[in-house]
Amino acid sequence: MDLFEHQARELFEEHGIVVPRAEVTDSPKEAREIARGLGGRVVVKAQVKTGGRGKAGGVKFAADPAAAELTTRQILGTDIKGHTVTTVMLAQPVDIESEFYVSYVLDRAAGTFLAIASTEGGMEIEEVAASRPEAVARIPVDPAEGVTSAKASEIAEAAGLPPQTVDVLVRLWEVLVREDALLVEVNPLVRTTRGQILALDGKVTLDDNARFRQTRWGASDVEHGDALEAAAAAKGLNYVKLDGEVGIIGNGAGLVMSTLDVVAGCGARPANFLDIGGGASAAIMADGLSVILSDPDVKSVFVNVFGGITACDAVADGIVQALDSVRLTKPLVVRLDGNNATRGRAVLDERAHPLVQQATTMDGAARRAARLATAG
């Protein structure tokens, strides 16, 4: 789960990382009063969970309270990369001498964490890494050892950061560990003309698997950039919208990923990732089909199930019952294999829905679903 910038700042402050004074509002009139309380001059920043806000007009300077109200009015309601701005943060501006980039991110491939740091702060780190890779230091961090003062000094020295950043690097690691984060990032971390080290912006991604420990961030804090993803989440479905025309339902993340690849290999594009997990009750199948059929880009649906603990005949029963509650408007290709597959196919044959087709192999089913989606 990604946090908003103001939530990330809240965590930073709790762990002793200094940030400029700031307040959040959804009201232009209140923005005027906030600006007055912050000294008049403020930076108005759209609160959306995406990067590139500055380029999109979501970060603007306001010279006085009246300008803060006008700027807030202009930013609220705008769209930034598919995210509608509903709140803004007004922060005190600072006089910057130098800008840096620091972050910790989970390196899944290596099974460790990675510290990334650079003296090229305030810029997209991907652009810096592509154009000047030598300007970005990448230091592995052993989760068991963590970031001590010595390790932080190693990171700072490798990136060319000033010694004053060592304490921030230690505290930033504390944020990652204590808040169950997969990513903590400060861009930019700045040194002011008075020599103070401040975090001007922050990004934190929390591990969803640890939400039971991080109850302060309730379900209402989860933001979905796509309406279908939000609808699926409300039904408890593991769904991700993709840019394609073949709807995908499978039981198990590995099988679904394989299904995406096979469909792509047949010349079509997957429209989504939808894993129904170990269960395929009528309610789950109905919810899954309802979400996928709501996508106007979907031209066919491919249900790919390997029966294990949940037998194929139970899956077939779920599909049949789901067809009684969901109006099927697109062709549905079903591949059942594994436990009670023969019995499951017989259940679907008996239902004999005109838009439901069956295939015995994943490749055959994928080709049929792709052909149906791309025909005409």
Side-chain angles (χ1 to χ4, degrees), residues 6-359:
H6 68 88
Q7 294 172 323
R9 286 168 45 96
E10 179 183 331
L11 292 183
F12 292 167
E13 283 192 288
E14 290 176 4
H15 290 274
I17 299 172
V18 183
V19 298
R21 288 178 57 203
E23 292 187 42
V24 178
T25 184
D26 59 1
S27 165
K29 289 186 178 180
E30 187 178 22
R32 178 191 285 258
E33 297 307 314
I34 291 174
R36 184 174 288 115
L38 292 176
R41 299 167 62 248
V42 292
V43 179
V44 184
K45 308 177 76 175
Q47 295 301 283
V48 287
K49 298 178 181 180
T50 185
R53 292 175 299 168
K55 295 179 180 178
V59 179
K60 295 182 178 181
F61 174 76
D64 53 52
E69 178 179 350
L70 177 60
T71 301
T72 298
R73 195 179 304 278
Q74 292 171 339
I75 293 178
L76 288 174
T78 58
D79 181 276
I80 299 179
K81 296 183 178 180
H83 298 257
T84 301
V85 181
T86 59
T87 57
V88 299
M89 184 180 73
L90 288 81
Q92 280 186 323
V94 298
D95 296 321
I96 300 172
E97 178 184 277
S98 305
E99 296 182 272
F100 316 111
Y101 173 95
V102 295
S103 71
Y104 297 113
V105 62
L106 176 63
D107 185 344
R108 296 182 186 275
T112 185
F113 280 87
L114 192 64
I116 303 176
S118 174
T119 55
E120 302 288 335
M123 302 172 59
E124 295 288 345
I125 196 64
E126 294 83 4
E127 295 178 6
V128 176
S131 60
R132 297 182 58 226
E134 72 281 358
V136 180
R138 298 173 176 82
I139 309 297
V141 177
D142 185 337
E145 297 179 3
V147 176
T148 61
S149 294
K151 187 67 175 182
S153 297
E154 177 190 344
I155 296 167
E157 183 177 353
L161 304 182
Q164 301 100 303
T165 62
V166 169
D167 181 63
V168 174
L169 289 169
V170 172
R171 294 178 185 275
L172 199 63
W173 177 258
E174 291 177 359
V175 173
L176 182 135
V177 173
R178 295 181 184 177
E179 306 300 333
D180 290 306
L182 301 176
L183 165 72
V184 291
E185 174 186 272
V186 181
N187 187 26
L189 179 70
V190 305
R191 180 171 55 195
T192 69
T193 53
R194 296 183 177 181
Q196 189 177 22
I197 301 294
L198 299 177
L200 289 199
D201 198 351
K203 180 177 181 181
V204 174
T205 300
L206 304 180
D207 185 353
D208 284 338
N209 294 314
R211 288 179 69 83
F212 70 96
R213 282 200 298 261
Q214 304 297 338
T215 55
R216 65 190 289 180
W217 312 114
S220 60
D221 287 301
V222 179
E223 181 187 81
H224 298 277
D226 182 86
L228 289 175
E229 291 184 357
K235 297 175 184 295
L237 296 174
N238 185 12
Y239 173 93
V240 178
K241 175 74 171 73
L242 301 174
D243 184 19
E245 57 280 334
V246 179
I248 305 291
I249 298 178
N251 63 330
L255 180 60
V256 176
M257 292 299 291
S258 297
T259 305
L260 301 182
D261 290 340
V262 173
V263 167
C266 293
R269 297 174 303 165
N272 66 274
F273 173 105
L274 177 53
D275 174 18
I276 60 174
S281 67
I284 291 174
M285 289 303 305
D287 287 342
L289 285 173
S290 176
V291 170
I292 288 178
L293 293 172
S294 297
D295 184 349
D297 295 330
V298 168
K299 307 303 180 186
S300 70
V301 181
F302 178 13
V303 177
N304 189 17
V305 169
F306 186 86
I309 296 175
T310 301
C312 288
D313 57 337
V315 174
D317 285 333
I319 293 174
V320 168
Q321 293 179 51
L323 292 174
D324 293 332
S325 59
V326 177
R327 181 171 175 267
L328 188 61
T329 56
K330 316 280 176 66
L332 178 69
V333 180
V334 182
R335 175 257 186 173
L336 300 175
D337 197 6
N339 186 13
N340 285 351
T342 301
R343 192 179 305 171
R345 295 180 195 127
V347 170
L348 294 178
D349 285 338
E350 184 178 350
R351 178 62 171 81
H353 192 289
L355 288 178
V356 176
Q357 304 181 25
Q358 293 195 69

